Amino acid sequence: MLLYRSAVWFAKGLREYTKRLCSQLLTAIPSVALLLPGVAMNLRPRTSSLMTWTSKSLEEPSWSPGGTAALEKQLPSRSPGENIFLHIVDLSDPKTVWKFVENFKQEHTLNVLINNAGCMVNERELTEDGLEKNFATNTLGVYVLTTALIPVLEKEHDPRVVTVSSGGMLVQKLNTDDLQSERTAFDGTMVYAQNKRQQVVLTEQWARAHPTIHFSCMHPGWVDTPGVRLSMPGFHARLGARLRSEAQGADTVLWLALAPTAAVQPSGRFFQDRKPVPTHLPFARTSSSPAEEEKLIEILEELAQRFK
């Protein structure tokens, strides 16, 4: 079944995830308070309040706080009236995420959260807390950050949460029996795809539980980023000329975060090129039961509270 899913997904990707014309990129960005975890895509939105976050595992495995100066150079040039902040927090460390949120709530408002930080570690590695690194960053870190910031978002007009998932999740069925890859042979690409499936399920669950916030997740397409070059060198070498630019990959992210037309779409959907698309391939048997999805939430909540 995995072979079938992978073949159908790759054919779909060649048709839909590669370069496309991008004549409607957003250029007028409204003034909002935006929290953007991760700098893998060069979004560079022009906004009066941009909170930018990075995961130390995002682009370079040896990243350290000493890299702050280099990260600051990636931020938009400041102009009078802009408030641009760089927060260095390890998303794979739930204790640090909780601490950040507590401080953030005291100092800032928030209109939009974009969950963009992520990693693909191709060997099974554990954090200092004993968590598998991909799961800790892509799933638990996103869960803690988002749920902790929901009360802040609910205070504002038209709050939104956009999670940058991946079309790779289409090859995976939600598996709550081995969230940290302890019982099966480790495959970093498939673990990443499973994490992205988990993000889609979380988005659907959050949308039902918090109707005053617009939740969405999306696939940016196959984009030429440092993360792809580092984690998937073979894939990048084969498809390099066909990969999307960072601007093309960022288009739907910014549209979901800021465009009025995006807010009228149903909450909880999965988007590709500004359109809601199915979260399952035909005949792929990747649907999960309500019980499985509830189990995911229960496990994540237990872990989140353990590290609070």
Side-chain angles (χ1 to χ4, degrees), residues 3-190:
L3 181 62
Y4 163 79
R5 294 173 189 164
S6 298
V8 173
W9 171 78
F10 190 75
K12 177 182 177 68
L14 290 175
R15 293 193 310 271
E16 301 178 16
Y17 301 164
T18 50
K19 284 187 175 180
R20 65 181 180 89
L21 294 176
C22 223
S23 59
Q24 297 181 344
L25 283 173
L26 287 172
T27 55
I29 305 297
S31 176
V32 296
L34 183 92
L35 178 60
L36 172 59
V39 292
M41 289 191 298
N42 185 12
L43 302 181
R44 300 191 184 278
R46 300 169 185 171
T47 171
S48 67
S49 183
L50 170 65
M51 322 304 175
T52 300
W53 170 307
T54 183
S55 164
K56 71 177 183 181
S57 300
L58 187 61
E59 294 190 34
E60 297 294 340
S62 59
W63 189 90
S64 69
T68 300
L71 287 171
E72 288 181 320
K73 293 179 181 179
Q74 299 183 47
L75 292 174
S77 298
R78 295 171 185 250
S79 63
E82 283 187 325
N83 294 303
I84 302 173
F85 303 91
L86 176 66
H87 301 281
I88 303 298
V89 184
D90 184 358
L91 199 63
S92 70
D93 182 349
K95 297 187 296 295
T96 302
V97 179
W98 278 118
K99 183 177 180 180
F100 164 77
V101 171
E102 288 305 310
N103 293 332
F104 183 90
K105 290 192 296 186
Q106 304 303 316
E107 301 174 3
H108 303 289
T109 60
L110 182 63
N111 299 93
V112 181
L113 167 63
I114 302 177
N115 287 313
N116 182 51
C119 66
M120 184 191 294
V121 181
N122 287 313
E123 301 290 335
R124 190 174 188 274
E125 299 178 18
L126 301 182
T127 68
E128 293 181 0
D129 295 314
L131 300 168
E132 193 276 315
K133 283 189 176 180
N134 293 291
F135 168 78
T137 304
N138 301 331
T139 302
L140 182 59
V142 168
Y143 177 83
V144 172
L145 179 65
T146 304
T147 55
L149 285 172
I150 282 173
V152 184
L153 287 158
E154 288 178 328
K155 296 177 182 179
E156 304 304 318
H157 172 70
D158 189 23
R160 308 186 194 186
V161 176
V162 182
T163 298
V164 181
S165 182
S166 169
M169 66 89 190
L170 291 168
V171 306
Q172 287 286 309
K173 181 184 184 300
L174 178 65
N175 178 11
T176 57
D177 293 328
D178 192 22
L179 289 175
Q180 301 198 54
S181 310
E182 299 171 286
R183 304 187 185 97
T184 55
F186 190 87
D187 181 328
T189 302
M190 289 299 104

Side-chain angles (χ1 to χ4, degrees), residues 198-219:
Q198 293 157 6
Q199 290 179 351
V200 171
V201 172
L202 288 174
T203 298
E204 293 168 346
Q205 294 289 318
W206 286 327
R208 285 192 284 268
H210 305 282
T212 61
I213 301 174
H214 189 275
F215 290 89
S216 61
C217 53
M218 57 79 65
H219 176 44

